[in-house]
Amino acid sequence: MEKIRLRDIAEALGLSTATVSNVLNGKDDKVSPATRARVMEAVERSGYLPDRAEVLLGRNPSRMAGLVVNDHPEYSGHPLEDPYNAAFIDRLQKAAVRQGLELLVKTARTWEEAAQFASMWNMVGLVVSGFCDADYVSLKQTLKIPLTACDAFSTEAGFSSVTVKDREGGRLAGMHLKSLGHRRVTCVTTNLICDDLERIQGLRDAGLETDVFMISGDRSEMRRQFGERDFSRDTAVFCVSDRQALELLCILQERGIRVPEDLSVMGFDGIEPGLYAIPPLTTISQDLEAKARLAIESLSAEPAAHPIDVSLTVRKSTGYAKDIL
């Protein structure tokens, strides 16, 4: 691909190269906000961003940190409305303020988009959430600033990670269900890798047998699958996320399947909407305060792995196995 030049951007916008250069170098006090926005949008779209990194990094130290959230198809184009993401961003922003930082947030589908975003601004570091380990590794190899990866499993040197104790959370869930007489649990997941697999392995560590119910990440398809599933032989379902569990509770109510009398349902994450579900959702709660604090603090520390504690939150969606009632 032919290299994009400053002159190309200026000509496409009908501006002088001096105006575009001034915007890119922060000397834009005489440039209108609308023109500046046009330039920045064109720069990001053009792929000229990597050339800006050295210019930006040479300017005065920044007090900005970035967050990139994976715009995964399961969010139906609204990843920042997801209750878990919204709660994490809220705590991350507060943690950034305590460190004297401003937080810039972006959604992205690929690690390349995340790299472009980081290249646009003079950041002290970047927090990335919802991507896979290979993406984190590629991103770090591209960035010139510190990186903190949320829920990474890679042992690759050079970046920090804040990772929930997923397997321990699964074990706590398994011990709870086992104490209620459940011997076999159906596990709901969209994949069998990384954190999802660790959570299911934790159930098995507790001595439970497991069946895996693979569902689609697409919400409408997920609801269809829940609506067609035969739960008559199940006594308990463990969803690897609260979002899946909340969808399941709605479908079960529509189908007249009682929770927990006919079927116990349990989630993972501890998001606030679970408290208001019918019935309130039993879950494994993450310590989001610690997760956010460590994510921000890691940007100014030596790269390290930070495990995040989990805890069992028992509510009314789990009960004794129906075959022992």
Side-chain angles (χ1 to χ4, degrees):
M1 180 182 293
E2 186 177 350
K3 183 177 178 65
I4 299 294
R5 300 169 299 175
L6 187 73
R7 186 173 66 186
D8 298 327
I9 297 172
E11 289 178 353
L13 295 174
L15 301 172
S16 68
T17 56
T19 297
V20 175
S21 178
N22 286 338
V23 171
L24 296 184
N25 287 280
K27 302 174 182 178
D28 54 3
D29 54 314
K30 295 183 180 180
V31 179
S32 71
T35 298
R36 182 183 185 282
R38 287 177 60 214
V39 170
M40 297 303 292
E41 182 180 358
V43 166
E44 181 176 6
R45 188 173 58 247
S46 70
Y48 185 72
L49 293 170
D51 289 340
R52 293 192 57 213
E54 292 185 5
V55 175
L56 289 171
L57 290 169
R59 290 164 59 181
N60 293 330
S62 169
R63 300 310 300 164
M64 293 187 296
L67 168 67
V68 175
V69 178
N70 189 355
D71 185 8
H72 193 278
E74 69 183 36
Y75 298 130
S76 302
H78 303 282
L80 301 187
E81 295 180 12
D82 175 75
Y84 169 81
N85 288 336
F88 180 60
I89 292 170
D90 173 74
R91 288 157 179 78
L92 196 71
Q93 190 273 334
K94 292 174 182 175
V97 169
R98 288 194 293 269
Q99 294 293 316
L101 300 172
E102 296 294 333
L103 185 67
L104 299 178
V105 180
K106 181 177 177 59
T107 62
R109 285 287 179 92
T110 66
W111 71 264
E112 289 91 348
E113 289 181 49
Q116 285 193 342
F117 170 64
S119 299
M120 286 183 64
W121 306 96
N122 182 24
M123 297 176 182
V124 299
L126 183 69
V127 178
V128 186
S129 178
F131 289 81
C132 69
D133 284 20
D135 292 326
Y136 294 135
V137 173
S138 297
L139 187 56
K140 180 54 189 174
Q141 291 171 347
T142 303
L143 296 180
K144 297 182 179 180
I145 57 176
L147 171 71
T148 297
C150 293
D151 301 316
F153 288 81
S154 174
T155 57
E156 184 84 8
F159 65 87
S160 292
S161 64
V162 287
T163 304
V164 171
K165 295 180 181 178
D166 294 291
R167 191 156 183 161
E168 171 62 11
R171 189 189 69 82
L172 290 175
M175 294 299 293
H176 171 64
L177 293 173
K178 191 175 181 179
S179 73
L180 296 172
H182 301 280
R183 298 182 295 275
R184 191 174 193 90
V185 176
T186 295
C187 301
V188 173
T189 181
T190 60
N191 63 76
L192 286 174
I193 60 173
C194 299
D195 51 353
D196 288 15
L197 179 58
E198 287 290 300
R199 294 171 186 184
I200 294 171
Q201 293 284 22
L203 281 177
R204 295 166 180 165
D205 291 343
L208 289 174
E209 296 181 42
T210 58
D211 293 318
V212 176
F213 178 22
M214 298 291 291
I215 60 170
S216 170
D218 178 79
R219 184 184 181 190
S220 60
E221 178 64 14
M222 178 195 307
R223 291 177 63 87
R224 184 194 67 77
Q225 290 174 295
F226 284 155
E228 295 180 355
R229 165 83 179 191
D230 180 7
F231 290 104
S232 62
R233 296 184 180 180
D234 297 317
T235 67
V237 174
F238 172 70
C239 297
V240 297
S241 76
D242 282 353
R243 187 173 62 83
Q244 296 167 358
L246 293 173
E247 292 284 3
L248 177 58
L249 287 178
C250 290
I251 297 300
L252 293 176
Q253 186 176 45
E254 292 173 4
R255 294 177 58 183
I257 298 175
R258 300 172 302 166
V259 177
E261 293 86 354
D262 299 327
L263 185 68
S264 288
V265 176
M266 191 167 181
F268 196 115
D269 283 332
I271 60 176
E272 186 176 8
L275 181 61
Y276 307 110
I278 301 175
L281 181 65
T282 296
T283 185
I284 299 298
S285 299
Q286 298 189 29
D287 188 346
L288 284 184
E289 296 287 349
K291 193 173 190 177
R293 174 178 56 80
L294 288 168
I296 292 296
E297 291 178 355
S298 295
L299 297 177
S300 58
E302 289 296 315
H306 302 281
I308 306 300
D309 288 329
V310 293
S311 59
L312 172 65
T313 301
V314 179
R315 299 193 182 111
K316 295 184 177 181
S317 68
T318 49
Y320 289 104
K322 60 186 176 183
D323 55 1
I324 66 171
L325 289 176

